[in-house]
Amino acid sequence: MTDVISVAGLGKTFGKALALDGLDLTVAAGEIHGFLGPNGAGKTTTLRVLLGLIKASSGQALLFGQDPWSNATELHKRLAYVPGDVSLWPNLTGGQTIDLLGRMRGGIDPARRAALIERFELDPSKKCRAYSKGNRQKVVLIAALAAQPELLILDEPTAGLDPLMEVMFRQVLAEQSNSGQTVLLSSHILSEVESACDRVTIIRNGKTIDTGTLADMRHFSRTSIAAQLHEIPSGLSGLPGIHELQVDGNNVTFQVDPDSINQALAVLSAAGVSSLVSAPPTLEELFLRHYSPEGSPSKASV
Amino acid sequence: MNSLTGTRLLIGLALRRDRVMLPSWIVVFLLFAVGSASGTVALYPTVAWRVAAADAVNSSPILVAMYGRIYDPTSLGALSMLKASVLGSVMVAVFAISIVVRHTRTEEESGRVEMVHSAVVGRLAPLAAALLVAILASGVLGVLTAGGLIAAGLPVAGSIAFGLSWALTGVVFATVAGLGAQFARTGRSTVGLCLAVLGVSFLLRALADTNASFASLRWVSPSGQLQQIRPYQGDNFAVALLPLLVALVIGVLAFNRAASRDLGTGLWSDRPGPASASAGLRGPYGLAWNLQRGSLIIWACWLVIFGAILGNIASSVNGFFDSQQVRDYFARLGGSAAITDAFLATEMAFVGLLVAAFAIQSTQRLHAEEASDRLEIVLSGSVKRWRWTMSHVVIAFGGSVLLALAAGLAAGLANAQATADSAQIGGIVAGALAQLPAVWVILGVALLLFGWLPKWTVAAWAVLVGCVMLGELGPLFKFPQSVLDISPFVHVPKLPGAPFDAVPLLILIAAATAFCIVGVIGFCRRDIL
């Protein structure tokens, strides 16, 4: 598969402030790629470089194998972008805005436009100044989806949508992916990325700190276990790979590295198990471990 | 909590936000007033000179219309503060309007007022804070101006009356803006509404001054009432109660309306619009036209009215003057040859300044689109940066031609109708159109700022104000020609009347083109904010 986006060692400074510090990001054709990071990590800056709105200070960013700064107009025919903070022309209606944005990308399919307006329950005859944040976002989202571009770049797209619309959004996203479109989804909402994305890239302070499939990342992470036992277990605290152990009478909770699960379960069953809950690491936990300040992973887990 | 809770907090916030803007405006006004005073004192040393100059002004309807009448021809103060009293008070009014709108409707439009109201802040506090800040600024302006004029050597009582008239102008138009902000939906339209009120007030005063049968109209117009304080020529302090009363009534209406309406609403609620875009709205050009046509139409209406009044007044000018000194006075004001032509040339220079103001406002749409992040959505489409820039520049450019033509034609037709002689129309239109190359230089400067120093886009207004100041005060201070030459308007041939000279116009056009190209290049190379 060819890479739709390939970013290597990307740097961007604003005056003295360092926004991106050697960021790497690769998005293959046809995948839904999650782009995760806390506020101010450099997600939007990266997207703006990819759109040719700002110029990289160092490193390389390629979109469809071309430089987004010098070929912006040509490349934009193949993509659609939904910003995180949507502001629209107050005196145009939603419908006018959708048409205008579509035409500036080279035309939209009227049937698809109508279907999307229906699905997202948007009133296209309202003036944009009367729309709520979520409705403004819908306008741009519909314009982007109706264009059926090869690549969709979404910056925190569901921030203003209600839960029902969020479900709708995920369905549409899945359909896009099935029809072979590539999606880059920037977010700090983990459940969104967890349910929608094939691969994720996690950044912090303008640097990539991890990238891969969620399965890959879970592999390196711990399982949380909570158990109620017949008697107080012995030897659990001595095992390697056990973290956050808490013993409260017959109840124990702890986290265990993948390699030590077998031994830990053996100790538990020796003490007699009356109930056991084990949970895979959530992205929240991954996130907290990655972003806990100055590496104190032991405190990071829930 | 009552409805004014939090006012003091909001005043603090406003003063913090305006800590640079307020003092700089006030300093500019002070320089304007003190500059006019000290400049004229040297120019008219004897009473005889003053009387001659005052007679010249009073016998010229156009000057009376622009600046008002001189009631006491022997008064040095009245003569020196002629321009500052009426024109200056127009600027003071704009100052007060901009303060109030900035802290009321613009805030409300942006949604920030919602956040403020959710804190412990009363319903009327934002309006009260904005009005108090504007009134405070007007008061400081009035006191400093009075002090400055006394220091410049003008009589004490007159200087206090003058400071008072400026301060009250600020107070009255602050309340007008406070009321306007309750009706209009956006900050921009509130400013438009208030400027319309100011324009009507100015026109009523001009009408009352130039036509005896309308003389009573001056009492309807705040500008007319304030003029009747007559600084340096009687100092009628009692008249000051009248505009104060007007301000009080308007203020009460504004608070009344603010107390009863929903947040974010104006007088009209939004009607639904078309559910799909028309064929015309298909790219950056359609969008720019959609955004700008409303304000272009309003500008055109104003310039037609302005032009028609000028043309009409100019028709009655000829034959008023006989003394050489009067002729000299007007030659200094701008023109040469026949006096009607000199008037028209001078007034066409005003048209040029107004059209330049439109060109700046229109060009600054570029910055407004960028600052509001709407540009991001446009450029993420398949739209080249230079093409998007040109979509607004073309309107600024074409609009300026249209406005100059409208004002020139209106002046020419009104003049032809009044004198029953249509031979002048061509010359008057040419006089208006001759301003365009200078206007485009200002447009180019605005574009240059946008392309290279986007955070300083607003400085284009300072450039225009600088040109006005150079034109108005430069000759008074006897600045060397090389300084006066900085203003592009100096190089425009004074049509009709003076011989037409294409060379300076071509040079101006070349400079404007160069500025525009360099500005667009700058924008294409820089980061989007």
Side-chain angles (χ1 to χ4, degrees):
Chain A
M1 273 205 293
T2 49
D3 290 333
V4 172
I5 294 173
S6 72
V7 171
L10 186 65
K12 177 68 191 173
T13 50
F14 295 108
K16 282 180 185 165
L18 187 65
L20 296 179
D21 182 16
L23 186 126
D24 302 309
L25 171 68
T26 309
V27 178
E31 73 173 348
I32 301 187
H33 194 102
F35 191 39
L36 279 170
N39 295 328
K43 301 189 293 292
T44 304
T45 306
T46 309
L47 299 188
R48 285 164 67 89
V49 171
L50 285 173
L51 287 165
L53 293 172
I54 57 177
K55 197 174 186 175
S57 308
S58 59
Q60 192 188 42
L62 291 178
L63 202 60
F64 299 108
Q66 296 178 54
D67 175 13
W69 176 260
S70 40
N71 302 312
T73 331
E74 281 310 301
L75 290 172
H76 290 178
K77 286 182 183 155
R78 304 168 69 179
L79 64 83
Y81 168 59
V82 180
D85 197 1
V86 177
S87 115
L88 298 172
W89 299 276
N91 56 339
L92 294 186
T93 64
Q96 285 178 311
T97 309
I98 292 172
D99 286 341
L100 175 70
L101 294 179
R103 286 167 183 172
M104 289 197 292
R105 279 190 195 106
I108 54 173
D109 174 5
R112 213 177 138 67
R113 172 192 189 272
L116 284 163
I117 287 179
E118 178 110 344
R119 284 177 77 175
F120 279 103
E121 297 172 15
L122 181 83
D123 175 0
S125 61
K126 253 185 163 179
K127 293 271 169 71
C128 285
R129 76 160 66 88
Y131 283 135
S132 65
K133 176 178 161 64
N135 278 327
R136 286 201 302 273
Q137 213 158 18
K138 281 187 205 169
V139 168
V140 183
L141 208 52
I142 290 170
L145 293 171
Q148 290 198 286
E150 289 171 60
L151 169 66
L152 261 178
I153 298 181
L154 309 170
D155 194 3
E156 301 185 1
T158 59
L161 298 184
D162 62 47
L164 285 176
M165 283 303 131
E166 220 179 302
V167 170
M168 174 63 58
F169 169 72
R170 276 183 208 163
Q171 275 178 22
V172 175
L173 213 58
E175 292 165 21
Q176 301 279 314
S177 177
N178 288 339
S179 64
Q181 280 174 304
T182 310
V183 180
L184 177 60
L185 176 68
S186 136
S187 185
H188 61 244
I189 301 170
L190 305 159
S191 57
E192 180 173 291
V193 172
E194 197 168 22
S195 61
C197 294
D198 306 317
R199 288 199 316 137
V200 298
T201 293
I202 300 180
I203 68 165
R204 177 177 59 186
N205 295 338
K207 274 194 198 109
T208 304
I209 52 175
D210 213 342
T211 183
T213 64
L214 287 173
D216 285 343
M217 289 192 181
R218 287 207 178 97
H219 181 71
F220 293 108
S221 197
R222 306 166 187 158
T223 304
S224 303
I225 290 179
Q228 201 170 31
L229 306 172
H230 293 310
E231 57 193 57
I232 296 167
S234 58
L236 206 51
S237 57
L239 279 180
I242 299 282
H243 309 273
E244 299 277 297
L245 177 64
Q246 285 184 347
V247 182
D248 176 18
N250 290 354
N251 295 323
V252 294
T253 60
F254 59 91
Q255 296 189 347
V256 55
D257 288 339
D259 297 343
S260 310
I261 290 180
N262 211 11
Q263 291 162 281
L265 287 180
V267 173
L268 290 186
S269 63
V273 180
S274 57
S275 86
L276 178 84
V277 179
S278 88
T282 63
L283 210 49
E284 271 82 357
E285 285 166 341
L286 282 180
F287 220 10
L288 284 168
R289 286 180 66 188
H290 281 299
Y291 296 123
S292 61
E294 298 316 310
S296 48
S298 58
K299 292 210 173 149
S301 3
V302 180
Chain B
M1 167 174 146
N2 68 34
S3 54
L4 288 171
T5 308
T7 304
R8 198 189 307 188
L9 209 69
L10 291 180
I11 291 177
L13 175 68
L15 290 178
R16 173 77 178 75
R17 285 181 60 201
D18 294 348
R19 68 193 186 284
V20 177
M21 194 186 82
L22 287 181
S24 2
W25 270 87
I26 290 176
V27 166
V28 169
F29 280 119
L30 199 59
L31 288 178
F32 182 30
V34 175
S36 309
S38 48
T40 325
V41 170
L43 213 56
Y44 302 102
T46 68
V47 175
W49 281 66
R50 280 177 225 154
V51 171
D55 284 348
V57 171
N58 283 341
S59 56
S60 147
I62 201 136
L63 289 187
V64 171
M66 292 310 291
Y67 302 131
R69 188 168 289 282
I70 293 181
Y71 294 95
D72 177 1
T74 61
S75 160
L76 177 61
L79 188 62
S80 19
M81 303 313 284
L82 180 64
K83 285 184 179 177
S85 62
V86 170
L87 277 194
S89 74
V90 166
M91 282 158 68
V92 172
V94 172
F95 170 60
I97 290 168
S98 69
I99 296 176
V100 172
V101 173
R102 183 175 149 79
H103 294 295
T104 53
R105 184 49 82 168
T106 305
E107 285 291 283
E108 194 169 331
E109 186 189 357
S110 74
R112 285 190 288 267
V113 163
E114 224 165 275
M115 190 176 73
V116 167
H117 272 309
S118 67
V120 189
V121 166
R123 177 183 297 276
L124 299 178
L127 177 61
L131 286 181
L132 286 173
V133 167
I135 289 170
L136 182 75
S138 306
V140 170
L141 172 66
V143 170
L144 290 179
T145 304
L149 292 176
I150 294 169
L154 291 179
V156 174
S159 300
I160 293 174
F162 187 88
L164 183 69
S165 77
W166 265 13
L168 283 178
T169 306
V171 172
V172 170
F173 283 95
T175 58
V176 166
L179 185 60
Q182 310 307 317
F183 291 113
R185 285 294 303 258
T186 63
R188 184 187 289 274
S189 53
T190 311
V191 170
L193 189 65
C194 296
L195 290 184
V197 172
L198 176 61
V200 169
S201 163
F202 184 88
L203 285 179
L204 286 178
R205 199 271 315 147
L207 208 58
D209 274 347
T210 48
N211 192 329
S213 49
F214 293 119
S216 54
L217 278 181
R218 70 163 51 94
W219 298 107
V220 183
S221 141
S223 310
Q225 298 168 357
L226 287 158
Q227 178 203 30
Q228 291 307 312
I229 295 177
R230 301 192 187 180
Y232 306 109
Q233 27 196 355
D235 307 324
N236 300 328
F237 286 102
V239 174
L241 290 174
L242 208 56
L244 215 52
L245 190 71
V246 170
L248 201 66
V249 170
I250 299 177
V252 167
L253 287 175
F255 278 111
N256 235 329
R257 174 80 187 143
S260 59
R261 75 182 172 93
D262 290 341
L263 189 68
T265 57
L267 193 57
W268 301 278
S269 51
D270 273 317
R271 286 178 308 252
S276 59
S278 65
L281 188 60
R282 54 181 324 110
Y285 287 94
L287 176 61
W289 174 242
N290 187 296
L291 294 176
Q292 292 214 31
R293 65 182 168 206
S295 85
L296 180 59
I297 290 169
I298 292 171
W299 272 99
C301 292
W302 274 112
L303 277 162
V304 165
I305 295 172
F306 188 65
I309 292 173
L310 292 183
N312 194 291
I313 297 174
S315 66
S316 57
V317 162
N318 231 346
F320 267 122
F321 314 104
D322 37 25
S323 84
Q324 182 57 38
Q325 197 187 350
V326 173
R327 288 174 188 279
D328 284 352
Y329 184 82
F330 288 113
R332 206 162 39 233
L333 278 175
S336 57
I339 284 180
T340 311
D341 285 352
F343 278 146
L344 281 169
T346 309
E347 303 320 324
M348 285 308 144
F350 271 108
V351 170
L353 293 175
L354 287 177
V355 175
F358 161 80
I360 292 180
Q361 194 198 52
S362 173
T363 311
Q364 290 196 335
R365 287 285 180 143
L366 293 165
H367 183 250
E369 289 290 288
E370 182 177 8
S372 65
D373 290 337
R374 293 189 286 257
L375 171 59
E376 209 171 77
I377 311 182
V378 172
L379 289 186
S380 74
S382 188
V383 175
K384 287 200 168 67
R385 286 188 184 199
W386 66 264
R387 199 163 152 247
W388 173 77
T389 317
M390 289 314 289
S391 71
H392 286 275
V393 172
V394 161
I395 290 175
F397 184 85
S400 63
V401 177
L402 183 84
L403 294 182
L405 198 62
L409 264 181
L413 290 174
N415 188 56
Q417 197 258 339
T419 57
D421 170 20
S422 56
Q424 276 283 323
I425 296 179
I428 295 173
V429 171
L433 292 180
Q435 303 293 327
L436 286 173
V439 169
W440 296 334
V441 170
I442 302 288
L443 191 162
V445 170
L447 201 55
L448 206 57
L449 286 166
F450 171 71
W452 293 91
L453 299 167
K455 284 177 186 154
W456 291 94
T457 315
V458 75
W461 289 110
V463 172
L464 183 63
V465 170
C467 290
V468 174
M469 291 286 190
L470 273 182
E472 293 281 308
L473 298 181
L476 215 57
F477 284 129
K478 302 200 171 59
F479 281 160
Q481 191 60 35
S482 56
V483 175
L484 298 181
D485 280 348
I486 296 171
S487 164
F489 296 97
V490 170
H491 307 283
V492 173
K494 306 210 173 341
L495 299 176
F500 177 76
D501 183 4
V503 174
L505 293 184
L506 289 175
I507 293 174
L508 288 177
I509 289 175
T513 313
F515 285 167
C516 287
I517 291 174
V518 174
V520 173
I521 289 175
F523 173 66
C524 289
R525 292 165 55 98
R526 73 170 167 84
D527 286 352
I528 302 299
L529 295 181

